Amino acid sequence: MMRFNLKIWRQQNPKDKGHFETYTVDEVTPDMSFLEMLDKLNEALIIEGKSPVAFDHDCREGICGQCGVMINGRAHGPLNQTSTCQLHMRSFIDGQEITIEPFRARAFPVKKDLKVDRSAFDQIIAKGGYISVNTGQAPEANHTLIPSEQVEEAFDAASCIGCGACVASCKNASAALFTAAKISHLHKLPQGQPEGPFRVKQLVKAMDDLGFGACSNTGACEVECPQGISISHIALMNRLYFKT
Amino acid sequence: MNSLLSITLTEMNTASFSIDANYHLDAKVPPGPLEQKWQHFKSNSRLVSPANRKKYHIIVVGTGLAGASAAASLAEQGYNVSTFCFQDSPRRAHSVAAQGGVNAMKNYQNDGDSVFRMFYDTLKGGDFRAREANVYRLAECSAHLIDQAVAQGVPFAREYSGYLANRSFGGVQVSRTFYARGQTGQQLLLGAYQAMMRQVGLGKIKSYSRHEMLDLVVEDGMAKGIIARNLDTGELGRYAAHAVVLATGGFGKIYYLSTLAMGCNGTAIWRAHKRGALTACPSWTQIHPTCLPQSGSHQSKLTLMSESLRNDGRIWVPKRKNESRAPIDIPEEERDYYLERRYPAFGNLAPRDISSRAAKERIDAGYGVGKMKNAVYLDFKDAIHAQGKETIRKKYGNLFDMYHKITAVDAYQSPMLISPAAHFSMGGLWVDYELGTNIPGLFAIGEANFSDHGANRLGANSLLQACVDGYYILPYTLPHYLAALSGEPVPSSRSEAFGIAEHEVNNSLQQLLTIQGTRTVDDFHRELGKILYDKCGLIRSENGLKEAIKEIDELMGEFYQNLKIPGRHDEMNDELEKAGRVADYLEIGKEMCIDALSRNESCGAHFREEHQTPEGEALRNDKEFQYTSCWKYDKQKPMLVKEPLQFEVVTPTERNYK
Ligand SMILES: Cc1cc2nc3c(=O)[nH]c(=O)nc-3n(C[C@H](O)[C@H](O)[C@H](O)COP(=O)(O)OP(=O)(O)OC[C@H]3O[C@@H](n4cnc5c(N)ncnc54)[C@H](O)[C@@H]3O)c2cc1C
Ligand code: FES
């Protein structure tokens, strides 16, 4: 059994200034997930009549992108390529203090405690993060052959889960990795190329309009991305952007 | 025999349900031969002219594959659509978690596939408990989905030549499954989400994220809109439309431990049920054979390991009870590859219900492995030996990584531990051929309905069903409904019916908050899940189900006496959200048990202990139970309405996978 001291960001609502509070959880087992440890804390808080810590999560298997907090200053915690929900307590040392904060960025206002508003990501996609094909228009799938390595490259970019760790770990709060991943996913496939120039222009503009910062190539985002998406996609985005 | 059975049925009636023999259910199956029915519908359906479409408002609740594809397709046609989801983005619907693949009849492998074979596999997989015409249409529309998804940019796996690749899945003998690494659901959903967001950008769709539907508004017998709660602010809103589509997914989370996301729920369909919509076969739940076993009481969910692993992994348990050696130290002759032994023709690819029960049989008999003796081995030793580690890594690398993240075990070295977990709701809202419920204007698509999968769903068929419902069926059948409204204006949300619905929702939220007892929502949910898993799960019996009903009644009583939720209703309140869902789950759980009790036969995933063959397989009783059990809501005593299943083309046979 393990025991931890937690220092958690508490904020009632978007207007509240917010502050840290400390808690102790014990009877934690190494195979508990990080979120199950928070569940345990919350059940105890509720029984004591206190307000539980609000945090985001849904699939709890690393694919929906709903979870995500800063753990000891790192987005999604100490492990590489691991989302918060896939982190287990065996990755921490018994007795350790763990600081838990929301993903912070100008474009991601805090809603409550550890939950932030990431709807700006949806707005970026709505501006052109798609291939314009109506239902029913598609030609026979095997008419366009796409070499498997090319599909795999597109896939590397397409695997983004939209969690926002890239933004939270960037000192400029830039959404370059998120945006570039979508541009790159669609650009690397023949069916995505006709709209390429339009897409790049639209998405880059949306990113700026929504209050995300500029990318200064520090590479911090790549390190924290739970899907291991490479910053080489940002370079591709920049190349495509300057071409337009 | 017959009269005996009807006596037991009558006895049970008085106890837990009644039968409405006069209710007329119209399945609206078009006339003509099976293979021409859908064409017949499309050729004869009513249309709305392009200029008039913008006058029609449609609400789509749910933005998974079913909801997002329907919303996008309808908006492309020119209708005004509003979408709702409880997550903070439409892209996070639980379709995102599907791993293994999606079936489609392309016959790219030239291995004997055809629309008829796919239809037959699906119908047989469901143990002949689905409507022939619906199942045939699913197979018929499957091929085009792959074209659509590829055009959207879905990166399906390909051969080096650039052609699309396939794999095989449980319950069939052809390779018709398309896949995108182990993230097929994510990639298909992103395709549908992007199509939907394009319409949001064009102003044709208004998307409400973090909004939970808490009631259906029915006026003059027709669906007129919904009441939804903004989960960030707690505010209730009234939303009116010409039609409401429920695409709210499955409710397998009712078992607490399941492969579903934490927020998955039955609330939308249950509240619609309370307003008059019929459910169908609510107890038919797929328990998936390859999930990670429970490791302790803290556990909040069970992670699925894709069934595709069964293509190369071999399932076994030790031949000796209470085996203590490590799996790699157990010699070949002391291993029992029980699926290969019992089902030589399908082996490790036997259908899910059969594989899960076979695992449970071994575990219950004392051969289980792992810390809690609740698992079986899934072993890649032979596949790695035959194909090389690299090939296996390429096929399943992300699944092996995920396994490692969760368990800290390297499955390239040592077999995985797997066990059955609740996974998919075959049951849901009853729908006719047009995907309409019995309430005019209320439609149900995707996992939320009961339609194509019968008593057991084949792997990779439900992504397909969600997509086919949303892209290809609803965009024909919903306009057919709207055209008959002949230009009626959007219903007013100031009507009495809206007022009453909002008031009732408000009251029920307040009621939950005032209890202020001593137990948390999760605590109740865990207890309910355990009752259902033990007594209305893989194996059911008359006595067990009767006990379960009693236990659920007691738990429900305690819930309303002793629940504790902090906070208020007019703010973000996660516990209040969960409490509403669990309140519904308690009622759903009871109806599930009644449904399972009323069906005195075994079929597919519904395995009644009393009805099995000498070899322990499900024993159907077509003479008495060749019908879909539809339920009319009543808190105490739901009413059974039967939709007879007629098989015009196939003859139901014993489902044999030996
Ligand atoms: C782990 C896992 C793996 C799977 N793998 C496969 C596979 O390989 N192949 C396959 O074919 N199938 C697979 N399935 C099944 C398949 O993924 C689902 O059946 C299918 O995706 C369901 O899609 P849907 O659109 O009906 O529902 P979902 O994708 O679950 O979407 C439900 C939507 O409804 C919304 N919602 C729910 N309730 C409310 C409410 N009250 N108010 C507002 N919104 C609400 C949610 O926010 C969400 O947007 C898998 C399922 C799981 C759980
Ligand atoms: S909860 Fe879905 S990615 Fe973590």
Side-chain angles (χ1 to χ4, degrees):
Chain A
M1 290 289 178
M2 306 159 97
R3 173 192 178 95
F4 295 96
N5 295 317
L6 308 176
K7 197 172 140 199
I8 303 182
W9 182 259
R10 303 303 310 257
Q11 180 174 337
Q12 255 304 309
N13 53 49
K15 291 191 198 108
D16 181 16
K17 270 206 348 249
H19 64 282
F20 278 105
E21 252 177 65
T22 49
Y23 304 91
T24 308
V25 270
D26 39 29
E27 296 189 350
V28 173
T29 60
D31 52 11
M32 248 183 205
S33 75
F34 184 82
L35 297 183
E36 284 164 354
M37 183 275 296
L38 287 183
D39 289 343
K40 193 165 180 345
L41 170 71
N42 276 348
E43 290 214 55
L45 290 176
I46 294 165
I47 297 300
E48 286 170 33
K50 296 187 182 141
S51 137
V53 180
F55 62 90
D56 263 323
H57 64 106
D58 199 31
C59 74
R60 294 203 176 187
E61 51 184 270
I63 194 71
C64 74
Q66 177 93 43
C67 68
V69 292
M70 301 299 282
I71 302 170
N72 291 336
R74 274 192 76 177
H76 292 303
L79 300 187
N80 290 345
Q81 296 189 23
T82 303
S83 59
T84 303
C85 61
Q86 290 205 297
L87 187 62
H88 287 74
M89 296 316 290
R90 69 176 86 91
S91 299
F92 297 86
I93 302 161
D94 189 12
Q96 187 183 348
E97 179 174 275
I98 307 176
T99 305
I100 311 172
E101 292 169 86
F103 280 178
R104 296 187 196 276
R106 187 150 70 94
F108 288 172
V110 173
K111 295 202 246 183
K112 183 176 182 183
D113 299 339
L114 305 172
K115 290 192 185 195
V116 299
D117 179 352
R118 289 168 293 195
S119 55
F121 273 3
D122 289 328
Q123 294 175 50
I124 292 179
I125 299 298
K127 290 287 190 232
Y130 46 73
I131 292 173
S132 298
V133 51
N134 283 358
T135 303
Q137 283 177 337
E140 157 58 40
N142 259 346
H143 275 175
T144 316
L145 301 186
I146 314 174
S148 87
E149 310 88 87
Q150 195 181 334
V151 172
E152 293 303 313
E153 274 183 35
F155 207 133
D156 289 339
S159 64
C160 168
I161 60 173
C163 63
C166 48
V167 176
S169 43
C170 173
K171 66 178 167 52
N172 309 320
S174 160
L177 190 61
F178 170 81
T179 311
K182 187 44 60 192
I183 289 170
S184 189
H185 158 210
L186 299 176
H187 180 77
K188 285 181 193 283
L189 296 169
Q191 59 274 40
Q193 281 165 10
E195 279 174 293
F198 156 82
R199 183 179 307 119
V200 175
K201 257 199 337 236
Q202 288 282 102
L203 297 201
V204 170
K205 181 169 183 306
M207 193 165 73
D208 295 342
D209 291 350
L210 288 161
F212 291 102
C215 168
S216 54
N217 266 315
T218 64
C221 51
E222 171 182 86
V223 179
E224 305 302 353
C225 174
Q227 295 288 312
I229 295 175
S230 149
I231 53 168
S232 65
H233 299 294
I234 301 182
L236 176 71
M237 170 172 78
N238 290 338
R239 268 204 316 280
L240 293 171
Y241 185 72
F242 288 119
K243 260 207 254 169
T244 60
Chain B
M1 175 75 187
N2 271 345
S3 58
L4 250 181
L5 266 176
S6 45
I7 291 171
T8 33
L9 253 181
T10 337
E11 274 173 2
M12 285 186 320
N13 292 348
T14 45
S16 53
F17 68 96
S18 58
I19 297 181
D20 186 343
N22 299 321
Y23 195 102
H24 178 65
L25 265 181
D26 182 3
K28 298 191 187 161
V29 176
L34 188 60
E35 57 288 352
Q36 284 166 28
K37 285 183 189 297
W38 183 227
Q39 198 49 51
H40 183 279
F41 175 85
K42 290 199 283 188
S43 314
N44 292 286
S45 66
R46 292 180 292 260
L47 298 173
V48 178
S49 79
N52 284 336
R53 292 180 197 161
K54 60 178 178 300
K55 296 178 194 154
Y56 289 103
H57 286 241
I58 301 165
I59 285 173
V60 179
V61 187
T63 59
L65 272 172
S69 60
S73 306
L74 289 162
E76 286 161 9
Q77 290 181 12
Y79 298 98
N80 271 310
V81 180
S82 302
T83 59
F84 293 79
C85 69
F86 66 75
Q87 290 94 346
D88 76 350
S89 161
R91 68 181 287 156
R92 308 201 201 283
H94 200 51
S95 291
V96 80
Q99 301 171 353
V102 57
N103 287 335
M105 205 305 289
K106 282 286 199 186
N107 196 24
Y108 284 160
Q109 305 307 321
N110 196 28
D111 59 355
D113 207 1
S114 66
V115 168
F116 188 85
R117 187 177 294 277
M118 184 167 177
F119 150 73
Y120 188 79
D121 285 346
T122 305
L123 200 65
K124 175 185 169 196
D127 218 354
F128 304 96
R129 288 291 176 265
R131 217 183 271 138
E132 267 186 346
N134 285 58
V135 179
Y136 191 87
R137 180 177 59 186
L138 178 75
E140 186 182 346
C141 296
S142 65
H144 200 263
L145 168 66
I146 302 304
D147 304 337
Q148 186 67 32
V150 166
Q152 290 170 344
V154 172
F156 284 125
R158 293 184 182 250
E159 309 292 353
Y160 285 113
S161 56
Y163 287 99
L164 287 156
N166 290 113
R167 57 165 57 139
S168 51
F169 244 55
V172 302
Q173 289 172 312
V174 296
S175 286
R176 66 163 75 98
T177 307
F178 293 78
Y179 61 102
R181 293 188 190 159
Q183 289 154 247
T184 315
Q186 180 202 27
Q187 294 306 317
L188 281 173
L189 182 64
L190 288 178
Y193 157 76
Q194 286 164 200
M196 177 187 146
M197 292 315 286
R198 174 173 159 237
Q199 298 302 318
V200 170
L202 294 169
K204 293 306 295 175
I205 295 181
K206 175 105 184 69
S207 157
Y208 297 89
S209 294
R210 296 277 299 149
H211 277 67
E212 181 168 37
M213 165 181 162
L214 293 181
D215 211 349
L216 175 76
V217 180
V218 180
E219 226 176 326
D220 307 326
M222 290 154 89
K224 293 287 166 81
I226 63 169
I227 305 294
R229 179 165 178 267
N230 179 333
L231 300 176
D232 286 342
T233 62
E235 210 177 323
L236 291 181
R238 304 175 181 191
Y239 304 86
H242 291 94
V244 176
V245 180
L246 300 187
T248 50
F251 53 92
K253 180 75 193 161
I254 193 168
Y255 291 87
Y256 191 72
L257 286 177
S258 79
T259 64
L260 280 95
M262 302 306 285
C264 288
N265 65 85
T267 288
I269 62 171
W270 192 254
R271 310 261 166 126
H273 182 47
K274 287 175 132 173
R275 295 278 176 206
L278 298 181
T279 55
C281 306
S283 74
W284 289 359
T285 307
Q286 179 162 82
I287 312 276
H288 197 292
T290 55
C291 305
L292 298 189
Q294 183 180 8
S295 68
S297 60
H298 58 269
Q299 200 130 344
S300 56
K301 82 161 282 173
L302 298 174
T303 302
L304 174 79
M305 299 307 293
S306 168
E307 168 168 280
S308 62
L309 291 169
R310 291 203 275 146
N311 270 300
D312 289 298
R314 295 179 70 197
I315 294 176
W316 63 276
V317 290
K319 282 189 180 161
R320 223 165 62 190
K321 282 188 191 178
N322 293 317
E323 176 62 75
S324 58
R325 285 173 292 178
I328 41 171
D329 296 331
I330 301 177
E332 211 44 43
E333 60 282 5
E334 291 179 42
R335 300 174 172 200
D336 177 13
Y337 294 92
Y338 58 88
L339 284 177
E340 296 171 24
R341 169 169 60 78
R342 287 180 64 181
Y343 307 99
F346 283 69
N348 294 296
L349 286 176
R352 292 180 177 175
D353 53 338
I354 289 180
S355 307
S356 289
R357 271 199 303 275
K360 183 172 161 60
E361 188 275 327
R362 287 290 80 190
I363 293 168
D364 290 351
Y367 297 94
V369 296
K371 202 167 71 178
M372 294 172 75
K373 298 276 175 218
N374 58 354
V376 300
Y377 291 124
L378 175 62
D379 200 334
F380 292 86
K381 175 175 65 80
D382 295 341
I384 291 173
H385 187 70
Q387 304 170 40
K389 191 168 163 182
E390 258 332 287
T391 312
I392 297 299
R393 187 192 301 282
K394 195 151 174 271
K395 285 194 200 167
Y396 311 110
N398 65 327
L399 297 171
F400 278 59
D401 290 349
M402 177 151 110
Y403 189 78
H404 185 256
K405 271 182 197 165
I406 299 172
T407 62
V409 171
D410 177 2
Y412 294 102
Q413 301 292 334
S414 173
M416 291 181 178
L417 285 158
I418 54 161
S419 79
H423 178 59
F424 180 85
S425 317
M426 272 81 72
L429 285 185
W430 178 87
V431 288
D432 59 26
Y433 186 76
E434 296 169 16
L435 304 181
T437 67
N438 56 310
I439 299 179
L442 179 70
F443 294 77
I445 60 176
E447 195 175 334
N449 71 19
F450 170 79
S451 58
D452 304 339
H453 309 297
N456 171 58
R457 167 188 62 105
L458 288 186
N461 258 359
S462 61
L463 290 179
L464 174 69
Q465 182 232 336
C467 290
V468 164
D469 284 2
Y471 285 121
Y472 301 121
I473 303 176
L474 196 76
Y476 286 90
T477 58
L478 186 57
H480 176 66
Y481 170 78
L482 295 175
L485 298 178
S486 50
E488 268 177 37
V490 189
S492 163
S493 63
R494 284 200 293 270
S495 69
E496 198 189 342
F498 269 95
I500 293 173
E502 185 183 336
H503 182 73
E504 289 180 4
V505 168
N506 201 19
N507 280 354
S508 68
L509 293 169
Q510 305 276 7
Q511 186 199 2
L512 291 168
L513 282 162
T514 48
I515 302 168
Q516 289 306 326
T518 62
R519 282 181 73 180
T520 62
V521 183
D522 286 350
D523 204 22
F524 282 104
H525 194 171
R526 273 191 290 263
E527 186 173 338
L528 173 68
K530 174 122 182 49
I531 298 173
L532 289 173
Y533 190 78
D534 290 345
K535 295 176 177 157
C536 193
L538 272 172
I539 297 178
R540 296 124 185 234
S541 70
E542 182 178 335
N543 283 341
L545 289 163
K546 285 182 172 162
E547 277 165 29
I549 292 171
K550 211 168 131 255
E551 286 165 16
I552 294 174
D553 271 336
E554 284 163 14
L555 190 63
M556 206 176 321
E558 197 197 335
F559 182 82
Y560 287 100
Q561 298 284 316
N562 199 16
L563 174 69
K564 184 165 175 105
I565 324 179
R568 303 193 314 263
H569 69 96
D570 57 350
E571 60 176 5
M572 184 194 294
N573 188 337
D574 295 350
E575 290 298 308
L576 181 60
E577 273 171 45
K578 289 195 283 187
R581 294 172 193 155
V582 172
D584 292 334
Y585 273 153
L586 286 160
E587 295 185 18
I588 298 172
K590 183 171 171 187
E591 199 180 274
M592 283 168 68
C593 293
I594 293 173
D595 178 52
L597 186 60
S598 75
R599 188 166 284 269
N600 242 315
E601 66 159 353
S602 295
C603 55
H606 170 69
F607 191 83
R608 282 284 300 267
E609 207 168 62
E610 305 91 333
H611 305 285
Q612 47 181 309
T613 65
E615 299 89 51
E617 307 298 342
L619 186 61
R620 270 195 345 254
N621 176 352
D622 289 340
K623 222 162 154 193
E624 307 253 347
F625 291 96
Q626 195 167 295
Y627 62 78
T628 302
S629 306
C630 313
W631 296 96
K632 237 163 56 178
Y633 177 77
D634 184 291
K635 195 165 179 182
Q636 290 318 321
K637 214 170 167 183
M639 210 178 270
L640 175 65
V641 178
K642 300 177 185 176
E643 183 203 331
L645 292 167
Q646 276 131 14
F647 295 98
E648 289 169 8
V649 178
V650 305
T651 314
T653 55
E654 190 196 331
R655 223 167 128 237
N656 186 346
Y657 291 94
K658 295 191 191 284

